[in-house]
Amino acid sequence: MPPAAMAPALSGDAASHTVAKARRAWTARFRAAGIDSPELDARLLVGHALGLDHAALAASATRILVASEESAIAALGNRRLAHEPVARIVGTKEFWSLNLRIDAATLVPRPETETVVEAALAAIDTCRGRARALRIADLGTGSGAILLALLSELHNAFGVGTDLSPQALAVAHDNTRRLGLTRAAYVACDMAAALHGPFDVIVSNPPYIGSDNIAALPPEVRLFDPRLALDGGADGLNSYRAIAAIAPGLLAANGVIVVEIGAGQAEAVAALLAGAGLAPSPPRPDLNNMPRALVAKKGS
Ligand code: GLN
């Protein structure tokens, strides 16, 4: 075939099938579907489908995709159009600068949950010191996010994470191994049912959404986060009642408990912890200035 006859078809195809063009096309589709960060999501998913990091993707902008690459991108893009979070599609999420694996049994760690880590470290700085061999318990650890973040900062600390889901614990265990943090162990149980204290620090991001409010959450959460990790019972406070009942017996003298809280829950959770004889501090706000972490101390 004469080159001239090929040229229009080829250039048309080529123009619509470069890496850059695929990024633009999926950005436009995500935007039209009302997805929050269309450009970022398209970049991450195209990069993941092609096995390219951010820099390599940018350097490949004019490369023409082959059909198998196009269909790999489309498979991921269509999952995002169905509101599956990017973190679930790529299977990892960064938390406290740690790259964590997640799966269907774990929450996607949220940036606001870093407030729990900050609050715990601040409490440790004021009363105990980071160099000590602190004993930490993370109740409902999921992917291990909070516990692993703390162990990455507290080089002499030991931690135990619990979860009702053995599948979640397998993920936490894998994250622990991948990060080379050997000072964590995991136990499958409800909150602290199988634990024997004392612990210097207890942390938890328990399920705290009121059962009837789950249907109103964004599809990324409602359809993909495990219900077990969200559902806090009729008023969302069931886990805090359980935590308040067990924390005093589980904490060492001068120990601290730090819990994540949801919208409008600060006063009720502080009252539950105070009712159990612990001394709550004012809640620590997250980056959106929402009260997010509550710290309570046990006396000496
Ligand atoms: N932070 C999650 C959300 O807003 C809820 C997680 C939880 O219940 N602990 O959807």
Side-chain angles (χ1 to χ4, degrees), residues 37-275:
S37 47
E39 193 165 4
L40 174 65
D41 290 7
R43 182 207 346 132
L44 293 171
L45 293 179
V46 171
H48 189 70
L50 300 177
L52 299 175
D53 66 17
H54 190 181
L57 195 64
S60 309
T62 58
R63 180 160 81 67
I64 295 168
L65 296 166
V66 299
S68 60
E69 291 174 325
E70 295 244 44
S71 48
I73 293 168
L76 304 189
N78 286 327
R79 286 170 66 180
R80 187 69 193 102
L81 286 177
H83 292 281
E84 185 168 351
V86 168
R88 293 204 178 278
I89 299 172
V90 304
T92 59
K93 175 77 181 177
E94 190 177 297
F95 180 82
W96 201 261
S97 298
L98 306 174
N99 188 256
L100 298 177
R101 191 165 79 75
I102 55 150
D103 82 359
T106 70
L107 279 183
V108 175
R110 315 280 207 264
E112 58 266 29
T113 299
E114 294 182 342
T115 309
V116 174
V117 179
E118 289 167 4
L121 292 174
I124 290 163
D125 284 341
T126 58
C127 69
R128 308 193 74 84
R130 294 195 189 197
R132 295 187 50 187
L134 297 165
R135 298 155 293 185
I136 304 173
D138 182 4
L139 312 182
T141 195
S143 61
I146 300 173
L147 179 60
L148 294 173
L150 287 174
L151 291 179
S152 76
E153 300 288 345
L154 304 167
H155 299 288
N156 296 315
F158 297 86
V160 55
T162 69
D163 208 286
L164 265 179
S165 162
Q167 194 186 333
L169 290 181
V171 174
H173 201 265
D174 188 44
N175 282 326
T176 307
R177 189 186 49 77
R178 284 166 6 121
L179 293 169
L181 290 165
T182 54
R183 294 166 281 116
Y186 297 95
V187 183
C189 69
D190 188 10
M191 305 308 271
L195 298 188
H196 189 63
F199 292 97
D200 303 295
V201 181
I202 300 175
V203 287
S204 185
N205 173 20
Y208 56 64
I209 309 291
S211 308
D212 291 346
N213 298 335
I214 292 179
L217 295 173
E220 278 77 0
V221 178
R222 141 172 78 80
L223 300 176
F224 294 98
D225 276 321
R227 197 179 170 100
L228 193 61
L230 297 175
D231 192 339
D235 63 357
L237 299 173
N238 279 359
S239 305
Y240 301 111
R241 290 189 190 92
I243 287 171
I246 55 174
L250 211 55
L251 281 171
N254 299 312
V256 293
I257 174 156
V258 187
V259 291
E260 178 164 328
I261 52 174
Q265 293 178 328
E267 278 187 25
V269 177
L272 285 168
L273 295 171

